[in-house]
Amino acid sequence: MLDQLKETIKKALPELDFVMGWGMGFDALHATPLFMYEPEDVDKLVWGPLNIQNLATYLPSLKGKKVGIVVKGCDSRSVAELLQEKLVNRDEVVIFGMACQGTVNLTKVREIVGNTGLVEDVKYENGKLTVTADGQPHEMLLKDVRADKCGYCRFPNAVISDHFVGEERAPQVEEDTFEDLKEFESQSFEERRDFWMKEMDRCLRCYACRNACPLCVCRDHCVAQSRDPHWVSQQDGIRDKFMFQIIHATHMAGRCTNCGECERACPVDIPVLLLKRSFNRAVKNTFAYDAGLDAGATPPLLAFKVNEDNIKEKEW
Amino acid sequence: MAKYLKQDDLGSWLKELGKTYKVIAPVEEGDAVIFRPLTDERTLRIDRQATQGPKGVLFPACEELVSFKYGKDPEKPEKVTVDIQETVDAEPTLIFGSRPCDARGFDVFDNAFTKCSVKDSYYMARREQAVVVSLACTKTETTCFCNWVGGAPDGKGGSDVLLTPITGGYLVESVTDKGAALLDSPLLSEATGEHTAEAEKLLAAARESLREAPDFKCVPEQLYNLFDNMDFWEKQAAKCLSCGACTYLCPTCHCFNITDEQQGNQGSRIRSWDNCMSRLFTEEASGHNPRPTKAHRLKNRVGHKFCYFPDMHEGHIACVGCGRCIKSCPVALDIREVVTAAKECRLPEEETADD
């Protein structure tokens, strides 16, 4: 299947500036975005559960170039959302879709392996990952170390593509019932507040969450750092840092495609996707809408209806 | 002077030191390992490299430089008065469990903050009262490259005491007089020849496990040569997200922003970490930005560490090879690859012909 993908990319490459996929990073456990300019670059392409980065993040900054992008199901939703918002031109992007088997959460692997800095080799076969570190092989099932988002994935197949390679896969679930959120919300207000205060305490204000997010497109002009006007304090108190996360989550309302890049990119493992999930559920309940499924649709918070279908204000 | 500390006595030794110093050590927090004041509730984690080094202890992510308050002159109500108080926040502090690379980061800070014509009084006050107890690395990680930049798993630069984990405890060596004073504790015994021999064997194995260090002598010149070669930098920076994770985790990055945070008629002038990967870092008041793209910004980051800083500080590379910028980069961008590519980049013929 990977060979078929490589062939498809090689065929399309002459018409494109480059194609984005994944190559092997600094060790066997880490994939890294691969920019393929020449056919020989395509030979470095890898595919598997370690292809964790969502490459759609690069698209808005590549306007004016004609590029190819390899996508998993969730990545394809980000591309669709970017097309919806006209942040990417459809005729400037060629989408190579594959069916995703789920991606690995490296923090969970670390919990099993101990120190992932000592990884020597990784093998993936039949849903089983074998990570050898410090001479010691550790076997684990992908379903035990995959990203939480993959547990409630409805779209393993690219929702939009120009070239779909390989067989489609059945979705993990038919409906996302937000069980993770329900579990979190079963705690008292004080418990939840304390949880966030503790988690946000170690935030570095590095903005990896923001820059890894494909829909966080203000980026260079972000309210969090703007100097004139000076919107947000540069203090590093917990409240200041939490304030930024709330701004980020609010800006994502109705646009977030649940790719989880914000959380994955966080160097200190703060579970910030939980905040976006809350907004995703609110948008789903209010507008019966999921972001990034239809490149032709208008996100509900970018549209205006005098009478919203699900907001019965006249009946209040 | 070398001593031996039993594993079981480590906690007691730190408690004892805690009477004189505020002890900051790597502790578990969520899924990360972060330097925090050591308390009974916190779990010390020294079995793996901390997610973030201890640089914030001496150079806080955010600190108040002065507090200010506007008032009115009762004699002349049209006249505004300003009361300004300088805030120097320093107390005897012991950093425990830094790695030799982390400690070498303080050497870079010393160069930048205390050895230039303008001294940073805030940093200096903290540095003078700090003592650094580092832990030598007997295992090296896939992202470690301290040997490429003049360090070693048992390097002593920036540390006052160096601990090497051996069977049942630690070999404890003082590096400076400040560090020697910590070794007076009755909890420490004289190290035996066996202790030192075991430590040396483990450390030799750790040094051996690192990838061979390339010769970086030509790197500064190559980086100057590549300064205007934006094609090179665009390719190197293609996957960079231009976030600041690498810089905020870096033991040597020390750039900052200064802002006034005012509420009503009072406020603080604060200094907070800033980073060259951010577009706003170099945006000028006119609106002009000399580093408009992420390629320009990555060029600066690599250039500063491997070229401009060494130029200003007797060849001292501003990278300690801790590898956090690689390990925690959301896209696994590898600075080793960038520097190696710069080193090996053959310049276009017309440019070399001009030389």
Side-chain angles (χ1 to χ4, degrees):
Chain A
M1 211 162 61
L2 175 61
D3 288 336
Q4 206 184 327
L5 177 65
K6 285 182 185 170
E7 279 314 305
T8 316
I9 293 173
K10 279 183 184 171
K11 226 178 263 173
L13 197 55
E15 306 295 314
L16 300 167
D17 285 300
F18 52 81
V19 177
M20 298 181 285
W22 301 267
M24 187 164 123
F26 58 85
D27 69 15
L29 191 61
H30 291 81
T32 187
L34 174 72
F35 285 65
M36 296 167 271
Y37 303 90
E38 308 293 338
E40 51 268 33
D41 298 330
V42 183
D43 297 327
K44 295 182 205 150
L45 187 70
V46 297
W47 175 267
L50 296 170
N51 294 356
I52 52 180
Q53 295 95 1
N54 180 352
L55 309 172
T57 303
Y58 299 110
L59 284 179
S61 61
L62 297 172
K63 258 189 173 176
K65 289 196 162 77
K66 187 155 185 188
V67 299
I69 181 169
V70 187
V71 292
K72 309 183 287 284
C74 52
D75 308 339
S76 73
R77 288 181 65 190
S78 308
V79 179
E81 183 65 31
L82 288 167
L83 290 167
Q84 277 179 256
E85 297 183 28
K86 301 190 174 35
L87 293 160
V88 170
N89 297 324
R90 186 67 187 91
D91 56 359
E92 287 180 352
V93 57
V94 174
I95 307 162
F96 301 87
M98 297 259 278
C100 175
Q101 67 279 56
T103 56
V104 167
N105 176 330
L106 294 175
T107 303
K108 289 184 188 173
V109 174
R110 190 174 61 210
E111 278 163 19
I112 293 171
V113 171
N115 186 350
T116 45
L118 308 176
V119 164
E120 289 141 7
D121 187 39
V122 178
K123 286 211 161 50
Y124 175 67
E125 255 174 358
N126 305 326
K128 200 173 72 183
L129 204 65
T130 309
V131 179
T132 307
D134 204 13
Q136 212 45 40
H138 302 264
E139 277 191 6
M140 57 202 86
L141 295 173
L142 174 60
K143 72 177 177 52
D144 294 333
V145 291
R146 72 184 171 197
D148 290 342
K149 64 173 178 173
C150 306
Y152 45 78
C153 174
R154 287 173 294 157
F155 306 99
N157 310 302
V159 299
I160 179 172
S161 61
D162 298 298
H163 304 275
F164 190 87
V165 178
E167 300 282 308
E168 293 204 349
R169 259 173 214 269
Q172 199 67 35
V173 294
E174 287 304 324
E175 202 52 51
D176 180 0
T177 49
F178 295 94
E179 292 306 317
D180 52 336
L181 212 49
K182 281 182 204 159
E183 195 185 318
F184 180 71
E185 289 171 349
S186 68
Q187 301 174 87
S188 69
F189 171 78
E190 287 74 19
E191 283 170 321
R192 283 178 283 149
R193 183 197 55 202
D194 292 348
F195 170 83
W196 281 118
M197 293 303 113
K198 189 164 178 294
E199 292 293 316
M200 291 310 302
D201 191 14
R202 64 177 182 278
C203 167
L204 309 173
R205 281 193 90 155
C206 73
Y207 303 117
C209 51
R210 177 191 74 190
N211 287 34
C213 171
L215 275 311
C216 225
V217 286
C218 303
R219 225 167 279 176
D220 284 353
H221 307 274
C222 176
V223 66
Q225 290 167 299
S226 83
R227 288 168 190 186
D228 186 19
H230 185 54
W231 293 114
V232 176
S233 158
Q234 296 308 301
Q235 305 267 11
D236 75 338
I238 297 173
R239 291 195 334 174
D240 303 293
K241 297 189 285 196
F242 199 42
M243 177 74 177
F244 167 71
Q245 286 302 336
I246 297 297
I247 294 172
H248 183 177
T250 315
H251 281 182
M252 288 303 122
R255 306 171 61 233
C256 169
T257 56
N258 206 48
C259 74
E261 280 292 87
C262 49
E263 182 165 310
R264 186 196 65 77
C266 178
V268 289
D269 285 297
I270 303 174
V272 286
L273 180 59
L274 202 54
L275 296 169
K276 281 93 182 180
R277 295 271 291 153
S278 176
F279 279 93
N280 285 351
R281 185 182 57 184
V283 168
K284 175 99 179 161
N285 290 344
T286 313
F287 301 104
Y289 176 84
D290 281 305
L293 293 186
D294 173 4
T298 306
L301 293 175
L302 297 183
F304 177 76
K305 269 189 192 173
V306 176
N307 293 308
E308 282 291 347
D309 299 339
N310 293 327
I311 304 175
K312 308 290 181 201
E313 58 191 307
K314 299 223 167 76
E315 293 165 27
W316 287 342
Chain B
M1 180 170 53
K3 295 222 168 173
Y4 177 70
L5 172 71
K6 279 192 285 187
Q7 179 69 46
D8 293 347
D9 288 337
L10 174 63
S12 312
W13 189 47
L14 290 173
K15 271 228 162 78
E16 195 180 279
L17 293 168
K19 288 178 194 156
T20 318
Y21 299 98
K22 180 177 172 185
V23 177
I24 316 271
V27 298
E28 209 168 62
E29 198 173 298
D31 288 314
V33 178
I34 305 286
F35 278 81
R36 295 282 192 217
L38 197 58
T39 59
D40 291 340
E41 298 79 53
R42 289 181 163 140
T43 315
L44 185 70
R45 280 299 298 268
I46 48 175
D47 57 332
R48 66 174 163 104
Q49 187 191 45
T51 314
Q52 185 184 30
K55 77 168 171 182
V57 181
L58 299 189
F59 174 55
C62 178
E63 68 175 314
E64 186 179 88
L65 300 177
V66 296
S67 62
F68 56 85
K69 195 173 179 179
Y70 291 104
K72 283 214 190 296
D73 188 336
E75 302 295 312
K76 289 186 188 162
E78 72 280 8
K79 198 174 156 195
V80 177
T81 60
V82 193
D83 175 36
I84 298 172
Q85 299 290 330
E86 191 186 23
T87 324
V88 177
D89 174 23
E91 59 182 310
T93 304
L94 184 138
I95 296 171
F96 177 81
S98 48
R99 298 296 174 138
C101 50
D102 296 334
R104 275 192 88 215
F106 294 134
D107 275 350
V108 174
F109 283 9
D110 291 346
N111 272 300
F113 289 141
T114 71
K115 293 182 185 163
C116 295
S117 53
V118 179
K119 317 262 183 260
D120 188 288
S121 56
Y122 298 89
Y123 173 82
M124 274 173 76
R126 279 188 292 265
R127 184 69 166 127
E128 276 161 15
Q129 296 204 54
V131 52
V132 180
V133 179
S134 296
L135 188 71
C137 300
T138 49
K139 290 255 185 260
T140 61
E141 301 194 8
T142 47
T143 43
C144 289
F145 63 107
C146 59
N147 59 327
W148 292 28
V149 288
D154 56 338
K156 295 193 169 84
S159 298
D160 297 296
V161 174
L162 186 71
L163 266 61
T164 306
I166 52 173
T167 313
Y170 303 90
L171 182 78
V172 186
E173 295 169 274
S174 63
V175 180
T176 63
D177 292 344
K178 217 192 232 177
L182 307 186
L183 271 55
D184 288 338
S185 167
L187 291 163
L188 305 175
S189 56
E190 287 303 320
T192 64
E194 272 175 44
H195 291 142
T196 44
E198 188 192 350
E200 188 36 52
K201 199 176 154 202
L202 288 167
L203 294 169
R207 288 192 295 264
E208 192 64 24
S209 70
L210 288 164
R211 271 202 256 163
E212 198 188 332
D215 184 355
F216 273 179
K217 261 191 229 87
C218 65
V219 165
E221 196 193 341
Q222 274 291 88
L223 288 170
Y224 279 128
N225 288 339
L226 285 165
F227 193 84
D228 291 320
N229 189 337
M230 285 318 289
D231 187 46
F232 173 83
W233 290 107
E234 271 161 27
K235 287 223 165 112
Q236 294 301 324
K239 65 179 155 188
C240 175
L241 297 175
S242 209
C243 73
C246 51
T247 62
Y248 286 2
L249 296 171
C250 174
T252 74
C253 276
H254 52 268
C255 284
F256 54 81
N257 183 16
I258 293 179
T259 47
D260 285 353
E261 305 289 348
Q262 191 177 342
Q263 291 91 33
N265 62 353
Q266 57 188 341
S268 313
R269 173 157 296 179
I270 61 159
R271 158 158 87 177
S272 55
W273 288 354
D274 199 352
N275 81 88
C276 57
M277 308 312 284
S278 160
R279 181 184 183 274
L280 289 164
F281 184 74
T282 44
E283 187 170 83
E284 295 166 9
S286 65
H288 169 68
N289 195 333
R291 294 180 205 149
T293 72
K294 64 182 181 181
H296 288 89
R297 304 198 275 268
L298 184 73
K299 174 178 76 173
N300 176 71
R301 198 172 104 78
V302 175
H304 191 199
K305 292 193 178 308
F306 291 90
C307 176
Y308 323 140
F309 192 90
D311 259 5
M312 287 190 293
H313 300 283
E314 295 161 3
H316 201 126
I317 294 174
C319 167
V320 291
C322 76
R324 288 190 184 89
C325 60
I326 307 166
K327 179 159 65 173
S328 290
C329 172
V331 296
L333 200 159
D334 192 336
I335 195 167
R336 290 172 298 192
E337 276 183 17
V338 180
V339 180
T340 307
K343 180 178 174 245
E344 288 167 3
C345 183
R346 286 171 64 96
L347 299 166
E349 273 178 31
E350 61 274 20
E351 280 184 38
T352 42
D354 290 343
D355 287 346

